Amino acid sequence: MPSVVKINALTVPAEQREVLEKRFASRAGAVEGSDGFEWFELLRPVEGTDQYLVYTRWRDEESFTAWMEGPMKQAHQGSAEGGGRPRPAASGSTVWSFEVVQQTGPKADG
């Protein structure tokens, strides 16, 4: 069964970029322990778009769904203390789903 890839395209105004990156950095480790998690990358746009891409790869759709309904949901609810969770850094979000049909890595020396 192929891995599944989820790409969340976040529209982030220029003045919110640093805020977004700091929030992801402060949550380091939040997804790594999830069952079925395989990879994460936060991709900063260089040219041609204002969208950040949040790339995650999962063993299967069920693993992703379990993370979304559990740890991810809890992390995004925030605390009710001090006025609740901060305003989102992104002004829009679209999630794309893919199956990995081919993959490769660098050849080993030797």
Side-chain angles (χ1 to χ4, degrees):
M1 174 173 269
S3 295
V4 295
V5 168
K6 301 294 180 174
I7 298 176
N8 191 356
L10 300 173
T11 303
V12 182
E15 67 275 7
Q16 290 293 314
R17 287 182 168 199
E18 189 176 343
V19 171
L20 179 88
E21 291 181 24
K22 284 182 176 176
R23 286 183 186 169
F24 270 94
S26 71
R27 286 206 309 258
V31 71
E32 288 87 333
S34 298
D35 184 51
F37 169 79
E38 295 179 352
W39 198 257
F40 161 85
E41 290 177 329
L42 175 62
L43 307 177
R44 176 193 300 138
V46 176
E47 60 181 318
T49 184
D50 61 353
Q51 291 187 315
Y52 275 74
L53 298 182
V54 182
Y55 173 103
T56 56
R57 189 174 71 209
W58 300 85
R59 178 181 58 228
D60 49 36
E61 188 70 29
E62 292 75 21
S63 298
F64 172 74
T65 301
W67 174 74
M68 284 287 289
E69 293 176 353
M72 197 284 296
K73 189 180 237 180
Q74 292 168 1
H76 283 79
Q77 285 174 343
S79 72
E81 302 169 20
R85 60 183 285 226
R87 197 173 140 258
S91 61
S93 170
T94 303
V95 177
W96 301 325
S97 298
F98 299 88
E99 285 186 343
V100 177
V101 293
Q102 292 183 27
Q103 64 183 10
T104 189
K107 290 184 178 179
D109 291 338

